[in-house]
Amino acid sequence: MISCRKLLSVVIGVILYGSDSMFMSAIMPIFPLAAQRRGISSFWIGLVFASMYVSVFIASFIWPMVLKPTHYVQAYVISGFVVGLSFFCFGCIIFVQDSTLFIALCLATRVLGGISMSLMYACAIPVITNMITEKSGLIITAMQTAAYIGVSLGPGAASGLFSIGGYYLPFTTLGIFVITLSFLSMILFCSFAQLI
C-alpha cells in the first residue's frame, strides 16, 4: 500500500520538475520585446536564450561527478529554490535602467537557473523514484511528461500573465510557485533522505 505522504511527495516532485522546465520557455514571447525596446541587438537576445542551455549542458556533466548520492535529496530541494529565485529575479531585472547591466543580469540569472536545473535533472529521478520504487517506470514517464508540459505551457502562461501585469508578473509569479513547491518538497522529502 502506498502512503498518502509518499504519493503526495511524488506528485509535488513531478510538478516541481515540470515547473522548472517552464523557465526554459517562458521568456520566449516576452523577453525579446523588452530587450528590443531597450535597443538591445538580436545577438544579445539570442545569447540570453542560449546561455541557459549551454550552462545546463556543461553542468550536467559536472554534477554527477561531484555530487554524492547521500546528498541527492538536499540538492534536489536546493535546486528548486535556486531555479525559483532565478525565475523571480529575471522578472525584477526589468526595473534596471542601464542596458548593459540589464543584459549582464539576464545572462547571470539564466546561467544560474541553468546550473541549478542541471542539478535538479541529476537528482530528480533517483530521489523521486526511490519514494515508490515499484512504480519507478511510471514515475519517470510522469516526470518526462511534466517537463514537456512545462516547456509547452511556459510561453502561454507567461503571455497571459504578461497581459495582466507586465514583464515582471510572469517571472515573479512562476518563481514564487516554484519556490513554494520547493518548500513543500523540503517538508515532504525530509523523511525520505535516508532512502538515497
Side-chain angles (χ1 to χ4, degrees):
M1 183 80 178
I2 299 169
S3 72
C4 288
R5 183 181 177 117
K6 283 186 178 183
L7 186 59
L8 184 60
S9 298
V10 168
V11 169
I12 296 289
V14 168
I15 293 171
L16 177 59
Y17 190 80
S19 298
D20 278 1
S21 298
M22 289 180 87
F23 191 46
M24 288 186 180
S25 63
I27 75 166
M28 289 178 186
I30 300 168
F31 177 72
L33 297 172
Q36 287 170 346
R37 286 182 188 149
R38 294 170 177 264
I40 295 170
S41 71
S42 57
F43 169 79
W44 288 104
I45 294 170
L47 194 60
V48 169
F49 277 100
S51 63
M52 172 175 264
Y53 302 108
V54 171
S55 63
V56 168
F57 177 77
I58 293 170
S60 293
F61 291 104
I62 297 169
W63 287 123
M65 292 188 286
V66 299
L67 190 63
K68 295 179 182 178
T70 54
H71 297 120
Y72 280 175
V73 172
Q74 297 88 342
Y76 178 75
V77 172
I78 289 168
S79 67
F81 278 116
V82 175
V83 169
L85 184 62
S86 297
F87 226 161
F88 187 88
C89 290
F90 195 82
C92 295
I93 290 171
I94 197 67
F95 299 113
V96 174
Q97 298 301 316
D98 181 66
S99 293
T100 304
L101 183 58
F102 175 78
I103 284 295
L105 291 172
C106 287
L107 288 168
T109 55
R110 293 289 285 179
V111 167
L112 181 62
I115 291 169
S116 58
M117 284 178 75
S118 67
L119 176 59
M120 175 167 282
Y121 298 156
C123 301
I125 290 175
V127 167
I128 297 173
T129 57
N130 277 337
M131 292 178 194
I132 307 174
T133 54
E134 63 272 15
K135 299 286 185 185
S136 60
L138 178 62
I139 293 169
I140 292 169
T141 301
M143 291 171 68
Q144 293 302 311
T145 302
Y148 293 125
I149 289 171
V151 169
S152 300
L153 291 178
S159 295
L161 291 169
F162 176 78
S163 66
I164 295 169
Y167 181 89
Y168 68 93
L169 187 62
F171 303 109
T172 55
T173 302
L174 295 171
I176 290 169
F177 180 69
V178 170
I179 290 168
T180 302
L181 289 174
S182 300
F183 181 73
L184 291 172
S185 294
M186 182 179 68
I187 292 168
L188 292 168
F189 292 6
C190 65
S191 65
F192 297 110
Q194 69 274 10
L195 295 175
I196 306 298

